[in-house]
């Protein structure tokens, strides 16, 4: 299961992207709201094996997530029930989930 959460911290790459995208813009402009993609461990077959999970979740069309991040998310979700995968603007999270569902 994929869950959407509230705003979260930016990674170094996301900060760099935001800086580039906001060059020349008003310094007082608010940062875009970020949403967190969170996975929840279920009885679905994808949770039977870490490699299966990483292979399926990392193949989301134009979007890519570091396989080490996915492996860590798998381990955390198996241990605790849920895990954060990444944070991004809502359209990115929605597009990523849509790609996974297709």
């Amino acid at each position: 299961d994929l869950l959407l959460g509230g705003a979260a911290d930016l990674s170094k790459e996301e900060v760099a992207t935001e800086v580039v995208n906001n060059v020349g813009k008003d310094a007082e402009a608010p940062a875009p709201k970020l949403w967190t993609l969170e996975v929840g461990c279920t009885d679905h077959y994808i949770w039977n094996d870490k490699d299966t999970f990483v292979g399926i979740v990392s193949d989301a069309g134009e979007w890519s997530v570091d396989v080490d991040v996915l492996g860590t998310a798998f381990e955390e979700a198996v241990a605790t029930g849920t895990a954060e995968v990444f944070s991004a603007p809502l359209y990115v999270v929605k597009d990523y989930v849509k790609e996974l569902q297709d």
Side-chain angles (χ1 to χ4, degrees), residues 75-92:
E75 291 168 354
E76 183 179 335
V78 168
T80 66
T82 64
E84 293 183 8
V85 178
F86 66 86
S87 296
L90 185 57
Y91 79 92
V92 173

Side-chain angles (χ1 to χ4, degrees), residues 3-4 6 10 13 15 17 19 21 26 29 38 41 44 47 50 53 59 65 81 89 93 95 97-99 101:
L3 312 168
L4 297 179
L10 292 168
E13 292 80 15
V15 170
T17 300
V19 169
N21 289 340
D26 183 4
E38 187 172 305
C41 187
H44 190 274
W47 293 99
K50 180 178 173 179
F53 174 85
D59 184 25
V65 178
V93 176
D95 285 351
V97 171
K98 184 174 186 276
E99 287 291 332
Q101 292 172 335

Side-chain angles (χ1 to χ4, degrees), residues 39-42 44-54 57 67-85:
V39 292
C41 187
T42 67
H44 190 274
Y45 80 91
I46 195 172
W47 293 99
N48 292 339
D49 178 70
K50 180 178 173 179
D51 292 333
T52 300
F53 174 85
V54 170
V57 177
V67 294
D68 293 332
V69 169
L70 292 175
T72 300
F74 174 86
E75 291 168 354
E76 183 179 335
V78 168
T80 66
T82 64
E84 293 183 8
V85 178

